[in-house]
Amino acid sequence: MRRRRWIALSLLVSGAALAGLLAATFTPATRAYLGEVGVAALLLAFALRAGSILCRVVRIAVICRGLDYTVPLSSLAITQSLSLFAGSVTPGQVGGEPVRIHRLSRAGLAVGDAVTVVVAERVLDLAVFASLTFAALLAVRHLWDYLAATVLYPVAAFLLLVLALLLALALLVRRPSLANRVIGGAAVRVLDRCGRSRRWLRFCPGSDGAERLVERIAHETEIFAASSSRFVRADPRALGGAILISILDWVFLFSTASALLVALGLPPSVPESFLFQGVLQMIAAVPLIPGAAGIAELGAATLYSRIVPTYLLGLFVVLWRLILYFLNIPLGLLAAALAARERSGGGEADRRGTENL
């Protein structure tokens, strides 16, 4: 029931924002332009989005292979679609990671190894995303005065935060004992707070269960640290392949907006659009409203108003949001149906198809 409320809230807020934006920018010129939208460029935008999703599926397979696991691509496609769906209906896209960890552990990976896969994805995403955004920022120096108050300083602060997170993660991987103390200490504090709260008391495992849980966390933390080191050192080809796929993923994702600009008869404005897409990704990562509904639409309209005429701005944002956000909903529902079928009839066959080499 709560999941349905999240979905309804995100779709309602996003739909209302798009409707308001379209109504505010729809003019006779917009109506006359509807028949001139470039179909080929529009299909290219959908293809770029599909390519980005495919890259993420293949990247999970490559990282799993680097950890000596083989997981069927069909299962990983369901996993990625469910992850996109969960990320679309939760604040800050936080729902995607637990879904992937759960699905990978069901496919035969140890929990610590599944966490390693997801963390490796996030590290690669942060590194590539930050690099592309920084490169785009350098390429649009002519806009720095315009962007300084609203974009330049927040982007710089975000990039510094990403660098700090990557350094902290590297330190935790190199020192498993420190990672164990940090993660285990956080778990103990959460359980202690949980035990003192009437609201959450029924979810707490009790003192005996808490002790076993802390031991399990310590065990999985050791697996995570060992798996991270094994992935980085044991198979350079897997790491190199994952980096290359991550670059393609983000280039495809950021290029979707440029393809939409071409579909509307506008210049692709690649550096500006890449920077704007980076800023919008930062906004989507803030855990405020599921799917950044409302905020993403207004943010896109504000940023792209610099390069998109007013009479096309609402149409552009609608198409952009349709491809990068609303498309995740039917994909997720289809993946949920396939996952239910997999559990009822094909679960055992799928688990046998996952090999720990």
Side-chain angles (χ1 to χ4, degrees):
M1 182 64 68
R2 180 173 297 180
R3 183 182 302 174
R4 293 178 181 177
R5 287 200 297 267
W6 280 124
I7 298 173
L9 175 63
S10 59
L11 293 179
L12 179 63
V13 174
S14 182
L18 289 175
L21 181 61
L22 193 58
T25 59
F26 197 88
T27 66
T30 310
R31 185 181 298 108
Y33 200 87
L34 288 176
E36 301 180 16
V37 174
V39 176
L42 189 59
L43 292 176
L44 175 61
F46 278 99
L48 288 170
R49 177 57 175 150
S52 173
I53 296 174
L54 179 60
C55 283
R56 298 197 173 199
V57 172
V58 175
R59 183 178 63 180
I60 299 176
V62 169
I63 297 174
C64 288
R65 188 73 180 182
L67 295 175
D68 295 333
Y69 291 96
T70 299
V71 184
L73 283 178
S74 58
S75 177
L76 293 179
I78 294 175
T79 298
Q80 184 59 42
S81 298
L82 289 173
S83 175
L84 288 172
F85 177 78
S88 297
V89 297
T90 52
Q93 304 176 351
V94 298
E97 279 72 13
V99 168
R100 293 201 302 282
I101 292 172
H102 172 71
R103 287 275 307 174
L104 289 173
S105 62
R106 280 181 56 87
L109 277 70
V111 174
D113 287 339
V115 172
T116 300
V117 173
V118 173
V119 170
E121 286 185 285
R122 285 299 137 254
V123 169
L124 292 171
D125 281 339
L126 284 173
V128 173
F129 160 76
S131 299
L132 288 177
T133 304
F134 183 69
L137 188 62
L138 293 179
V140 295
R141 295 181 184 178
H142 59 285
L143 292 180
W144 280 14
D145 291 338
Y146 167 74
L147 298 173
T150 57
V151 172
L152 192 59
Y153 300 132
V155 168
F158 186 85
L159 294 178
L160 290 176
L161 176 62
V162 168
L163 179 60
L165 289 174
L166 293 177
L167 292 175
L169 182 62
L171 178 62
L172 291 177
V173 171
R174 289 180 63 88
R175 299 184 61 183
S177 59
L178 176 62
N180 194 12
R181 289 200 300 271
V182 171
I183 299 175
V188 168
R189 285 192 291 272
V190 169
L191 291 173
D192 180 64
R193 184 72 175 268
C194 171
R196 289 187 284 112
S197 171
R198 291 183 178 180
R199 180 179 180 182
W200 299 104
L201 184 60
R202 60 195 175 113
F203 297 106
C204 291
S207 57
D208 294 337
E211 184 177 350
R212 289 194 297 270
L213 181 59
V214 171
E215 292 177 356
R216 176 69 182 274
I217 290 174
H219 175 67
E220 297 298 343
T221 301
E222 291 176 0
I223 294 177
F224 163 71
S227 299
S228 301
S229 299
R230 189 168 82 247
F231 173 68
V232 172
R233 298 173 183 174
D235 193 349
R237 291 179 301 175
L239 178 59
I243 293 173
L244 178 59
I245 294 169
S246 297
I247 294 173
L248 289 175
D249 169 26
W250 283 99
V251 169
F252 287 162
L253 187 67
F254 281 6
S255 298
T256 302
S258 294
L260 290 175
L261 292 175
V262 174
L264 295 178
L266 301 171
S269 302
V270 174
E272 294 87 351
S273 191
F274 268 46
L275 176 60
F276 296 161
Q277 290 299 305
V279 174
L280 292 170
Q281 285 292 326
M282 296 178 197
I283 293 173
V286 178
L288 296 175
I289 298 178
I295 301 174
E297 290 81 3
L298 296 178
T302 301
L303 292 171
Y304 279 92
S305 62
R306 180 77 179 184
I307 59 177
V308 178
T310 302
Y311 70 93
L312 291 177
L313 187 59
L315 182 59
F316 167 78
V317 176
V318 167
L319 292 173
W320 171 75
R321 198 64 167 147
L322 173 67
I323 294 176
L324 294 189
Y325 173 66
F326 282 96
L327 186 62
N328 295 338
I329 307 300
L331 284 178
L333 294 176
L334 175 61
L338 293 175
R341 181 181 178 184
E342 178 184 275
R343 286 194 299 270
S344 62
E348 290 299 325
D350 181 66
R351 279 191 291 271
R352 285 194 297 269
T354 304
E355 300 177 5
N356 187 345
L357 299 178

